[in-house]
Amino acid sequence: MIRIILVDDHFMVRDGIRAILEDEDRYEVVGEASNGVEAIELVQSLQPDIIICDIRMPVMSGIELVQKLADLGLTSKAIMLSMHDSDEYILQSINAGAEGYLLKDAGKEEFLKALSVVSKGEKYFSGDVSSILVKQIRSEDHQYTDDSNSYENTQDKNATKTFKNPFDLTKRESQILQLAISGMTNKDIAASLNISKRTTEVHRFNLMKKMGVKNVLELSNKAREHKMIP
């Protein structure tokens, strides 16, 4: 059973989400809060698997809540549910540690899909949100020159051998591909490339999405299948 806490200052929103989840056997709403401060107390006492959290709330916002939970070492995964699709809100949520971001006009099917994906330890962003992430990543990567057919072996700065790039990876994604397959964690990769851990996670999420894989083993197998690595 996946245990969930709802955090939203509008009762009708919480009531609507609860009604959806009551029809699903694998989910249980164990608590509700109307702001971030209330939510922290609930998360500490109930230790839910997932919190579904609004962004704009009185007393403490959803973004502040997610950051505070991370600071306290609490491991509940957060899905942001908001009517705002601004770049600022989305990127702040991801940087705070949110595992998912859904717009409030999402349908029931997408809502349940997001819950399923996040409950498995993966990240979920709606289509509109993903496009904003892609735009942000392209902006970060503008200093790199990409070749759509090949890229340099990034494990060896002196290497000149190139490998196939059938998934149109950016240079940064290509770097992360090789480092991830070598066994490095996101934290290690971030330190190696001098970028933040959250930026690493977003690049890795998009890399795995492009290649259609769910874990490092599948990533490694597909990369070798397509001769993307030696």
Side-chain angles (χ1 to χ4, degrees):
M1 183 73 73
I2 306 298
R3 303 169 71 251
I4 296 173
I5 285 179
L6 308 179
V7 188
D8 197 297
D9 57 324
H10 294 97
F11 171 79
M12 291 184 66
V13 173
R14 301 199 309 269
D15 196 45
I17 296 173
R18 179 185 284 274
I20 291 174
L21 296 178
E22 283 176 349
D23 294 332
E24 304 295 323
D25 294 336
R26 63 178 304 205
Y27 302 113
E28 178 186 10
V29 177
V30 296
E32 297 183 23
S34 61
N35 61 61
V37 173
E38 292 178 4
I40 289 174
E41 296 177 0
L42 280 179
V43 173
Q44 287 176 318
S45 62
L46 299 176
Q47 298 185 12
D49 300 295
I50 295 175
I51 64 170
I52 299 172
C53 180
D54 189 18
I55 286 185
R56 297 186 63 180
M57 297 183 294
V59 185
M60 178 185 286
S61 73
I63 294 172
E64 292 171 326
L65 165 62
V66 173
Q67 183 63 66
K68 183 66 175 178
L69 294 178
D71 292 343
L72 292 172
L74 299 170
T75 58
S76 299
K77 299 177 176 62
I79 297 177
M80 312 306 289
L81 189 63
S82 176
M83 59 187 298
H84 304 284
D85 62 353
S86 72
D87 297 26
E88 181 180 4
Y89 278 134
I90 293 167
L91 295 171
Q92 284 181 358
S93 296
I94 293 170
N95 286 332
E99 305 293 330
Y101 195 109
L102 276 176
L103 300 180
K104 284 187 174 179
D105 60 0
K108 177 180 177 180
E109 183 178 345
E110 182 176 18
F111 176 70
L112 294 176
K113 179 180 179 182
L115 279 177
S116 176
V117 169
V118 170
S119 69
K120 295 174 183 176
E122 302 171 27
K123 297 181 184 296
Y124 185 89
F125 306 105
S126 67
D128 291 341
V129 173
S130 293
S131 66
I132 291 174
L133 293 177
V134 169
K135 182 176 69 174
Q136 174 70 10
I137 288 172
R138 284 176 176 171
S139 174
E140 291 178 353
D141 285 342
H142 74 278
Q143 71 270 35
Y144 296 101
T145 300
D146 292 301
D147 184 329
S148 62
N149 296 312
S150 63
Y151 59 86
E152 292 183 3
N153 182 345
T154 55
Q155 291 189 36
D156 183 351
K157 292 181 180 179
N158 297 318
T160 58
K161 185 176 181 179
T162 59
F163 301 98
K164 294 181 180 179
N165 183 15
F167 299 97
D168 195 25
L169 304 184
T170 67
K171 182 67 173 288
R172 183 67 89 195
E173 289 166 351
S174 300
Q175 291 176 316
I176 291 175
L177 166 66
Q178 296 207 25
L179 295 175
I181 289 175
S182 74
M184 293 178 68
T185 65
N186 286 340
K187 182 178 180 180
D188 294 334
I189 293 172
S192 175
L193 299 179
N194 195 29
I195 57 177
S196 73
K197 183 172 177 285
R198 293 301 176 194
T199 297
T200 301
E201 290 175 348
V202 172
H203 281 298
R204 188 164 175 164
F205 169 80
N206 282 279
L207 157 67
M208 297 181 80
K209 186 175 181 180
K210 282 183 179 181
M211 294 182 64
V213 298
K214 296 181 179 180
N215 53 53
V216 174
L217 178 59
E218 291 183 7
L219 183 68
S220 178
N221 289 340
K222 181 162 283 192
R224 286 188 169 85
E225 175 187 348
H226 290 273
K227 296 180 172 55
M228 300 173 68
I229 57 175

